[in-house]
Amino acid sequence: MALTTTTPSIGKGLLAAALTTALALAAGPVTAAADDGGWKGAGGLTLNSTDNAKVDAYLDRARRAERSISTDVGAAALASGAQLVGFDHRLKSADSLKRKVATSLEDTPGQNTDTVLARLTDAVRYTLQWRDSTYTTGVTRASAVLSAWGNTSTKWSNTWNRTSGYKGLNTGWRAPGSGQLFEIQFHTPESKHAQEVTHLLYEEQRLPSTTPARRKELQARQDAAFNAVPVPAGADRLTAPVGPAAPVPATL
């Protein structure tokens, strides 16, 4: 299907209006930091009380920013014919976020928690999914819509052309206003399924306590799952939107 570039015919306000009430109900209350103590996780990972409090404060800010981000992402999904998958998990859990920060601090000695938090892209995250036949057109439209509404593209990791390992399109964005970084994964049903069945393997692989031999075994099992995923036509050539004024392709 050919793409055309036109002035957006669907306003952000019209699309967002259908989502606002549902998002407000689904988001739940914003909670403050739980306590002033440290944190201890699996594999010997720890955060002291100061770093733990910083992560809690960061998560609280992310929760406040999430509502307006969800409105934009949900409206972009409607405009591009996408299925918004796993919306209930759009906020990274406190334990998962702390594990990621603690792992980064251990892997790279000398950096501090503020630096790690400033680089986090997935405290707020979403998955948009299309069938193979509309995937490439859908991704192009959704990303152009988000860009046209002021969301800045900060990461565009297209791994559809890999001969082994993860297949999909992981993107990072900075929201207007709050400046909150968030992630959107663009998937097909097959690539999303492969991601789900390999998730626990990936989590074990990245633990500091996992031996090199075990990591190699875990990677081989992940490779096998993703090798079975079909690549939608044109998916390997998808590129990031050029900027806030990116034209929006015609409706699917």
Side-chain angles (χ1 to χ4, degrees):
M1 180 182 298
L3 301 182
T4 59
T5 56
T6 63
T7 301
S9 58
I10 303 177
K12 175 180 177 181
L14 293 176
L15 287 168
L19 297 162
T20 302
T21 300
L23 293 175
L25 293 173
V30 174
T31 58
D35 55 56
D36 296 326
W39 174 86
K40 183 177 181 179
L45 295 170
T46 62
L47 292 173
N48 62 37
S49 59
T50 300
D51 289 339
N52 189 43
K54 287 181 178 181
V55 177
D56 283 337
Y58 175 91
L59 184 56
D60 192 49
R61 294 192 298 272
R63 285 170 176 154
R64 291 196 298 270
E66 172 269 321
R67 296 194 181 192
S68 62
I69 296 171
S70 289
T71 298
D72 276 13
V73 174
L78 288 176
S80 63
Q83 179 184 2
L84 187 54
V85 179
F87 184 71
D88 289 346
H89 304 290
R90 62 197 178 277
L91 281 168
K92 203 174 188 71
S93 71
D95 273 347
S96 181
L97 189 65
K98 291 173 184 182
R99 183 170 63 250
K100 188 166 188 175
V101 171
T103 299
S104 183
L105 290 173
E106 183 166 318
D107 288 347
T108 311
Q111 67 175 335
N112 58 44
T113 300
D114 292 328
T115 301
V116 176
L117 290 173
R119 295 173 178 170
L120 279 177
T121 62
D122 64 346
V124 184
R125 70 275 179 92
Y126 307 87
T127 298
L128 299 188
Q129 179 177 287
W130 298 264
R131 63 186 184 274
D132 285 16
S133 60
T134 59
Y135 177 84
T136 300
T137 305
V139 170
T140 301
R141 180 168 176 79
S143 59
V145 165
L146 287 166
S147 180
W149 292 343
N151 297 282
T152 305
S153 174
T154 61
K155 181 184 75 171
W156 192 270
S157 178
N158 187 340
T159 58
W160 281 111
N161 60 354
R162 281 185 177 175
T163 57
S164 63
Y166 180 88
K167 284 190 175 71
L169 178 51
N170 289 6
T171 67
W173 304 80
R174 187 182 299 277
S178 68
Q180 176 66 44
L181 296 175
F182 63 99
E183 179 182 273
I184 307 178
Q185 296 184 3
F186 296 122
H187 275 295
T188 65
E190 292 83 2
S191 66
K192 180 60 178 174
H193 176 71
Q195 181 201 44
E196 290 173 345
V197 301
T198 59
H199 178 70
L200 291 179
L201 305 178
Y202 170 74
E203 290 292 330
E204 181 184 350
Q205 184 183 35
R206 70 179 184 169
L207 287 173
S209 57
T210 303
T211 66
R214 178 60 176 165
R215 288 181 182 176
K216 184 176 180 180
E217 176 190 348
L218 292 168
Q219 186 61 57
R221 292 170 62 184
Q222 293 174 69
D223 289 347
F226 282 109
N227 285 343
V229 175
V231 178
D236 58 334
R237 298 189 300 275
L238 287 166
T239 57
V242 296
V248 177
T251 305
L252 297 175

